[in-house]
Amino acid sequence: MTAILWFGCKPGIPDDIIKPDKMEKILYDMHIVDGYISTIYVPDSTKKVAAAYYKGIYKKFGTDSAQYNKSLNWYNKNPKELGEIYKNIEKALKQQKKAVDIADKSIQKKKFKADSLVIAKKFKADSLAIRKKMKPDSLSKAKATAEIAKKKKQADSLINIKKAGSLVVASPTTPALVQ
């Protein structure tokens, strides 16, 4: 009989509180939105955008602000459960950051390749123009060759600058509006 009372009275998550797996997903989305909202500098716009995002999150998870706030208060009073939720959120955010970094590097590589092709085409056009101006004598050929070498050095320098710039990747992400 005491075992039944002990199990029946065991503290746990009340029925009217959002369960940990669902709360984790809600908090994850909330934090993504909060990060985005923090980049908006016009207070009136921030409030409107935030309200729309939060409403979308509540709708997505079949809850409302009252149940969310009640649940969040309960989890704040139960730090062990909240800590477990945040460990998982941290893992998910790290995975998302890794994926974004990989995507950014890919974009930078494509941009670098396109920029390099533009520079190479310009160099080729410049060197052809120099060759057209060149006269058949050896002094003119030597000047033209020196000018072409100078243009090639400039093109290579620009490509190296672009390459160095493509190694530095920093891009804020914008969350998609939650429906």
Side-chain angles (χ1 to χ4, degrees):
M1 182 85 166
T2 26
I4 294 172
L5 288 175
W6 185 73
F7 283 115
C9 296
K10 184 180 177 186
I13 300 171
D15 290 338
D16 59 340
I17 299 300
I18 299 170
K19 302 303 176 222
D21 57 332
K22 187 175 180 180
M23 190 66 174
E24 177 184 316
K25 293 173 185 172
I26 293 170
L27 285 171
Y28 178 87
D29 284 359
M30 289 289 193
H31 289 302
I32 295 294
V33 167
D34 288 344
Y36 172 64
I37 298 299
S38 70
T39 65
I40 301 173
Y41 298 106
V42 180
D44 290 340
S45 295
T46 301
K47 289 177 185 177
K48 288 178 186 176
V49 170
Y53 276 115
Y54 296 144
K55 185 177 179 181
I57 292 170
Y58 299 141
K59 183 177 179 182
K60 177 181 177 182
F61 292 103
T63 190
D64 58 25
S65 62
Q67 186 183 24
Y68 168 76
N69 287 323
K70 182 177 182 178
S71 297
L72 189 58
N73 286 333
W74 186 88
Y75 281 105
N76 281 327
K77 292 175 186 171
N78 295 277
K80 185 177 178 183
E81 286 83 1
L82 189 61
E84 287 300 315
I85 287 172
Y86 273 104
K87 282 181 189 175
N88 294 332
I89 290 172
E90 184 179 11
K91 285 180 196 173
L93 287 171
K94 284 180 181 178
Q95 287 175 339
Q96 182 182 20
K97 183 181 182 325
K98 188 176 180 180
V100 167
D101 289 345
I102 289 169
D104 283 347
K105 285 179 184 176
S106 176
I107 290 168
Q108 290 298 324
K109 282 181 183 178
K110 287 178 184 177
K111 186 177 181 326
F112 168 72
K113 187 174 181 180
D115 289 348
S116 297
L117 290 173
V118 168
I119 292 168
K121 284 181 182 179
K122 179 159 178 26
F123 165 72
K124 189 172 184 178
D126 288 350
S127 62
L128 287 174
I130 292 168
R131 289 183 197 278
K132 283 183 180 179
K133 291 180 192 174
M134 181 176 61
K135 295 183 175 129
D137 63 81
S138 60
L139 181 59
S140 181
K141 284 182 182 179
K143 285 182 182 179
T145 303
E147 195 172 343
I148 290 171
K150 182 179 172 186
K151 293 280 185 184
K152 180 167 180 19
K153 190 174 179 180
Q154 288 173 338
D156 290 344
S157 177
L158 282 173
I159 290 173
N160 287 335
I161 290 169
K162 293 280 185 186
K163 185 181 246 181
S166 72
L167 297 177
V168 178
V169 177
S171 166
T173 58
T174 304
L177 183 58
V178 180
Q179 296 295 329

